Amino acid sequence: MTQRNVPASIVDDVTFPERGALLERGGASRLKMTCTKRLARVCCRWNVKSIVVTSTVMKSVPRLLAVVDVGVPRLVSCPIAGSRKRFSVLHVLSVMTDPDLGLYRPPAAVRGMTVLERDAFTQTVVVPAIRIPTRVLNRIVKSLKKVALQRPGLKRVVDDDTDGGNETAGEHRLLLLDPQSVESAESFGPEEAAALKGLGVEPAIRHYSLQLTYENLKSEEVLRAVLPEGQDVTSGFSRVGHIAHMNLRDHQLPYKNLIGQVIMDKNPGVTCVVNKTNTIDSTYRNFQMEVLAGESNMVAKVKENGVSYEFDFSRVYWNPRLSTEHERVVSLLRRGDVVFDVFAGVGPFAVLAARRGCSVFANDLNPESYKWLQHNAKLNKVESKLTSFNLDGREFVQGPLRERLPDLIKRSDSSSAVHVIMNLPALALDFLDAFRGLLKGERDPGPDGGVLPRLHVYGFSKEDEPERDVLERAELRLGTSLKGRCEVHTVRNVAPNKEMMCVSFSMPRDVLYGPDVVVEEKEDDGRSEEPSPKRPKHAETR
Ligand SMILES: C[S@@+](CC[C@H](N)C(=O)[O-])C[C@H]1O[C@@H](n2cnc3c(N)ncnc32)[C@H](O)[C@@H]1O
């Protein structure tokens, strides 16, 4: 095994979101990394055995943190050098690799191809094989499965052509072996050698000429062969029903249609591949996208947490990476609770909560989300439990929510509660001042007169201490301290050094029944990364 600096292509492969995935959540002296499936695939393709991880958090010379052994996709952890609690950016600096994977390189002539010609990938390669009597074939194949050739769509047990003509014809077959694992009879491990010996099979290695076609190549192998050498061939995508959603880099754009076609070929069920053409900065949080391959039908059907959803993916927000968070929050609710979902999208919190027996009031400003929200309520037969609105979040809080809240607080007790979900991470914390003085003028029933609503508010943070950051921003907007009376949960790492957080707390009594204060806009310090929201106008809108 040799250590070498990572070729640019590997470093690029292991970029965001893998660098994000390499993000630690460890204590002072341990680094934890999630080895994502994609990272595992990259490591597998390059036969990466371990990764040297460094931090550039101080914008100084990268500091060695750890050498991590790469295994199957799973959480790996190892001791780290130093004692920083948090690291912003992790770089894969160098890798330990085994020798080249030459066999799987498709013909050089495909380099630069922009229109997919599948036949051009066909080539003949020579692989090792072992001759096995048919009577023990199954047992040997089982014992040698770790060293047998594994390629998509390829048979690894083939007829032995040298068998033809004599009286033993058909009594033997050939098992094709992985040339990376087996070079000679000495390459077998002790268990494999013992199995061969026990069943009376000669460990002699033969050579077999094998035709490899486009069908036998993985998508990364095809793209690595086509795109200019040394360039990143990242072919990761999010799957939303039949749609594969990619985020290609500039250098990949000349090959975009070919990339789309390859993704469609290699992923059963994908019938449409789209590329994101803007960043997600629109009000409605949807992407502009271009169809790269396949049908242009954007109406996706997905299942999340056992619930079916349908929506036009090009016109609404949908993120398959939030399913755990949707389930987490809804698992905090009980049958009979009342839920206000201020930024509901097409309903992944709202419909799930209604299905679990809550009464739901769900709102979204995007008319298209509102339409699909209603559709999804019907689709899941919860129309009677879910009332939908098409309002700005602030108007929803100060209108439908405010109208219902006094009665709901009176009715609530230890067995039924009111929850408010606010998932618009770029802006939701800034909407919290809509609750200041929301029930001013109403009789405060006091601590024994009902339970106050519990809020679950999302925010992005790029700060070194994201928990503290989102908490402070919530407190600023509410005009009161939440210390000791809130929980902050890390939802996911959305980019290197950018976390999505959820702050949960019971709305303080002094905020709801206190004066309605107009919050002065602070000079934008960039922490929310969004344009400042509209200045709150409590007096006018209530
Ligand atoms: C991040 S998405 C969350 C959707 C859904 N709750 C989920 O978890 O997938 C935020 C939603 O807020 C909506 N939105 C954006 N600005 C809004 C506003 N001012 N008032 C109400 N909804 C808004 C968007 O249309 C989008 O559907």
Side-chain angles (χ1 to χ4, degrees), residues 194-446:
L196 291 170
K197 195 167 174 202
L199 293 165
V201 178
E202 256 306 290
I205 297 299
R206 292 154 173 257
H207 290 104
Y208 183 85
S209 289
L210 173 73
Q211 200 179 60
L212 277 182
T213 68
Y214 173 80
E215 272 65 44
N216 309 131
L217 297 171
K218 299 171 191 165
S219 47
E220 284 87 352
E221 291 168 336
V222 173
L223 299 182
R224 187 165 296 287
V226 171
L227 267 63
E229 235 162 336
Q231 281 194 356
D232 172 31
V233 298
T234 312
S235 55
F237 58 86
S238 304
R239 177 92 184 254
V240 179
H242 66 289
I243 303 167
H245 172 225
M246 307 193 79
N247 189 2
L248 296 180
R249 314 224 189 131
D250 287 350
H251 70 269
Q252 298 168 324
L253 293 179
Y255 306 90
K256 61 185 180 185
N257 298 107
L258 179 141
I259 295 174
Q261 191 61 56
V262 173
I263 295 300
M264 215 161 74
D265 286 348
K266 300 288 176 188
N267 295 279
V270 171
T271 55
C272 168
V273 182
V274 298
N275 187 36
K276 173 169 140 182
T277 55
N278 71 341
T279 49
I280 185 169
D281 56 5
S282 67
T283 305
Y284 301 149
R285 322 306 298 160
N286 59 328
F287 302 103
Q288 272 165 25
M289 48 188 82
E290 174 192 17
V291 177
L292 301 182
E295 56 176 321
S296 51
N297 167 23
M298 289 289 139
V299 177
K301 297 177 188 223
V302 302
K303 226 172 178 167
E304 183 185 277
N305 298 317
V307 178
S308 300
Y309 299 94
E310 294 177 356
F311 47 83
D312 183 335
F313 183 52
S314 63
R315 306 184 72 178
V316 303
Y317 176 91
W318 180 266
N319 187 342
R321 296 195 181 97
L322 287 180
S323 72
T324 309
E325 181 59 13
H326 295 143
E327 172 60 37
R328 184 189 73 85
V329 170
V330 175
S331 73
L332 304 173
L333 314 176
R334 285 163 306 177
R335 181 168 283 279
D337 282 357
V338 176
V339 178
F340 292 91
D341 189 354
V342 183
F343 309 106
V346 300
F349 285 116
V351 177
L352 184 60
R355 283 268 300 234
R356 304 253 174 102
C358 299
S359 295
V360 181
F361 299 92
N363 172 68
D364 202 282
L365 182 62
N366 180 356
E368 198 64 25
S369 300
Y370 170 68
K371 178 181 112 184
W372 290 104
L373 173 65
Q374 290 176 315
H375 174 87
N376 290 324
K378 275 200 196 100
L379 185 67
N380 292 282
K381 301 188 173 47
V382 290
E383 311 103 289
S384 62
K385 304 287 292 174
L386 191 153
T387 312
S388 43
F389 300 86
N390 182 206
L391 297 171
D392 173 75
R394 191 174 290 281
E395 286 168 21
F396 175 68
V397 169
Q398 297 179 339
L401 187 151
R402 192 239 170 271
E403 282 156 26
R404 289 164 178 83
L405 203 52
D407 277 352
L408 290 171
I409 291 176
K410 263 182 238 152
R411 263 178 31 202
S412 64
D413 55 27
S414 54
S415 64
S416 90
V418 178
H419 289 263
V420 181
I421 301 172
M422 299 175 70
N423 180 18
L424 175 58
L427 286 174
L429 289 164
D430 296 333
F431 276 75
L432 279 177
D433 53 17
F435 288 87
R436 288 175 79 167
L438 191 66
L439 299 186
K440 193 181 106 184
E442 295 282 337
R443 198 181 66 78
D444 177 355

